[in-house]
């Protein structure tokens, strides 16, 4: 349906300076196109991330987000944001453009999630929200208009490979009973065809993880000399693994030996005895299903 009048919204082009910008809708007006137009333009062209804006950013219909991390007190910040706003016009309706101030203490958690530190300066990332969060990193450091525009266009064209965070492999990663995994050594350890590997995916700040730590250390001590059972852990705030989505902490997964690279979600109890019973018994999907059914009864 085409209407004989124009639909427009008033929005702020910059979250830091409240000036209004009129945005007109063009083309046929349908329920779907109108919803898309409102969703794409209800936010500023570049919205600043905060506790207040996060629900709108991450809860909207547009799941592709273009983020620039920058220190608001730095000499480069104003120029970077001006450039980012220019680029944002070319992806309106396709991506939400977000500025994350690395100088704000409240943003520590999102910086940790992306593996970004204030000292890194101005940094760009793209994410796609789905069952998990797919991250994309550019192959450049200069946030020029040309570089940012190409980064966005390459993403929209499906030409980018997902970026997975990883710390460097510690020299002493296997010196203790509980082995330390990072993104770079995860596959070699967890998918070892001759080992049964139990992995705890944790966050350093997680209270439940801290409660589990002494039990997990005791478990590592019990199996440290076992020929085919490995107890391991990975800090999932700093490391990511392909096809392993972690939605809460701690998450425990079991990687049985063999050549199929199977992954079993551990849904059992979290006492020392529960873990031992699982590792010394039958530990596959069928066993876990029976465990869940027994727990429900």
């Amino acid at each position: 349906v085409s209407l004989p009048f124009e639909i427009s919204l008033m929005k702020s082009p910059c979250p830091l300076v409240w000036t209004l910008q009129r945005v007109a809708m063009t083309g046929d007006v349908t329920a779907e196109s109108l919803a898309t137009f409102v969703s794409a333009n209800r936010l500023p062209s570049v919205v600043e991330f905060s506790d207040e804006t996060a629900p709108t950013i991450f809860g909207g219909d547009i799941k592709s987000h273009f983020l620039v991390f920058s220190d608001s007190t730095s000499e480069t910040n104003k120029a970077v944001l001006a450039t980012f706003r220019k680029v944002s016009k070319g992806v309106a309706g396709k991506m939400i453009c977000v500025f994350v101030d690395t100088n704000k203490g409240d943003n520590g958690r999102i910086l940790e999630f992306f593996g970004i530190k204030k000292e890194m300066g101005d940094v760009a990332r793209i994410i796609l929200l789905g069952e998990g969060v797919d991250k994309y990193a550019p192959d450049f450091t200069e946030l020029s208009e040309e570089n940012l525009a190409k980064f966005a266009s390459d993403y929209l064209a499906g030409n980018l490979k997902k970026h997975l965070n990883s710390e460097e492999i510690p020299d002493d990663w296997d010196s203790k009973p509980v082995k330390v995994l990072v993104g770079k050594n995860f596959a070699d350890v967890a998918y070892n065809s001759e080992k049964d590997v139990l992995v705890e995916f944790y966050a350093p700040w997680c209270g439940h993880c801290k409660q589990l730590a002494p039990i997990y250390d005791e478990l590592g001590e019990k199996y440290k000399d076992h020929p085919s059972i490995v107890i391991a852990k990975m800090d999932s705030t700093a490391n990511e693994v392909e096809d392993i989505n972690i939605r809460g902490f701690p998450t425990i997964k079991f990687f049985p030996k063999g050549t199929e690279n199977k992954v079993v979600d551990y849904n059992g109890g979290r006492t020392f005895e529960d873990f031992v019973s699982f590792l010394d018994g039958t530990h596959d999907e069928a066993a876990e299903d029976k465990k869940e059914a027994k727990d429900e009864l």
Side-chain angles (χ1 to χ4, degrees):
V1 177
S2 296
L3 297 182
F5 54 84
E6 182 181 79
I7 297 176
S8 63
L9 292 176
M10 302 299 286
K11 69 174 186 174
S12 169
C14 173
L16 307 178
V17 180
W18 190 256
T19 57
L20 293 179
Q21 175 186 9
R22 187 167 176 268
V23 183
M25 178 180 178
T26 58
D28 291 344
V29 178
T30 64
E32 183 179 356
S33 65
L34 185 58
T36 300
F37 173 70
V38 173
S39 178
N41 292 285
R42 62 178 175 162
L43 290 172
S45 55
V46 174
V47 58
E48 180 173 359
F49 176 84
S50 68
D51 290 341
E52 291 72 31
T53 60
T56 304
I57 293 170
F58 298 116
D61 295 329
I62 299 176
K63 302 303 181 183
S64 294
H65 299 166
F66 195 172
L67 301 97
V68 163
F69 299 80
S70 179
D71 180 351
S72 60
T73 65
S74 70
E75 295 180 356
T76 60
N77 179 258
K78 288 185 178 180
V80 165
L81 282 183
T83 298
F84 192 29
R85 284 194 289 275
K86 288 182 182 178
V87 173
S88 72
K89 296 176 182 178
V91 297
K94 302 174 184 176
M95 308 176 77
I96 295 177
C97 293
V98 184
F99 160 57
V100 182
D101 189 350
T102 58
N103 190 52
K104 287 189 175 179
D106 291 345
N107 291 339
R109 187 66 62 84
I110 191 171
L111 295 180
E112 182 180 65
F113 177 75
F114 281 94
I116 290 173
K117 298 183 182 346
K118 179 179 177 180
E119 298 74 37
M120 294 169 66
D122 303 321
V123 178
R125 291 288 186 271
I126 290 175
I127 61 172
L128 173 63
L129 303 181
E131 289 187 8
V133 180
D134 294 340
K135 303 174 186 175
Y136 299 86
D139 58 1
F140 56 81
T141 56
E142 181 188 0
L143 303 195
S144 66
E145 183 175 351
E146 180 181 359
N147 283 343
L148 290 176
K150 186 176 187 305
F151 185 35
S153 64
D154 284 346
Y155 164 77
L156 292 171
N159 295 330
L160 297 182
K161 183 178 179 180
K162 285 192 293 185
H163 171 77
L164 299 171
N165 290 332
S166 178
E167 296 175 297
E168 294 301 319
I169 301 175
D171 293 334
D172 60 348
W173 72 270
D174 63 346
S175 64
K176 296 180 180 180
V178 177
K179 310 309 177 186
V180 177
L181 304 186
V182 297
K184 293 182 177 180
N185 71 344
F186 184 89
D188 291 338
V189 178
Y191 296 122
N192 186 323
S193 62
E194 298 179 354
K195 305 287 186 181
D196 286 326
V197 184
L198 189 71
V199 181
E200 176 201 5
F201 298 86
Y202 73 95
W205 41 261
C206 168
H208 293 298
C209 300
K210 293 176 182 178
Q211 291 176 359
L212 181 63
I215 297 172
Y216 209 69
D217 287 341
E218 184 181 1
L219 193 67
E221 190 66 33
K222 175 176 174 59
Y223 291 101
K224 66 179 181 180
D225 297 320
H226 197 285
S228 63
I229 293 179
V230 175
I231 309 302
K233 63 181 181 180
M234 188 177 84
D235 178 358
S236 286
T237 66
N239 300 278
E240 298 167 315
V241 181
E242 185 80 26
D243 298 326
I244 301 290
N245 294 320
I246 306 301
R247 297 183 176 84
F249 302 109
T251 291
I252 300 172
K253 293 181 182 288
F254 180 71
F255 299 80
K257 58 189 172 186
T259 59
E260 299 179 5
N261 289 354
K262 290 173 62 177
V263 183
V264 178
D265 291 326
Y266 176 79
N267 297 312
R270 296 187 177 182
T271 67
F272 176 77
E273 292 75 18
D274 288 328
F275 286 122
V276 170
S277 177
F278 173 77
L279 291 169
D280 288 349
T282 302
H283 30 244
D284 56 17
E285 289 94 335
E288 282 297 272
D289 289 342
K290 290 178 183 177
K291 169 66 180 174
E292 289 186 66
K294 182 178 178 181
D295 289 343
E296 289 174 2
L297 293 175

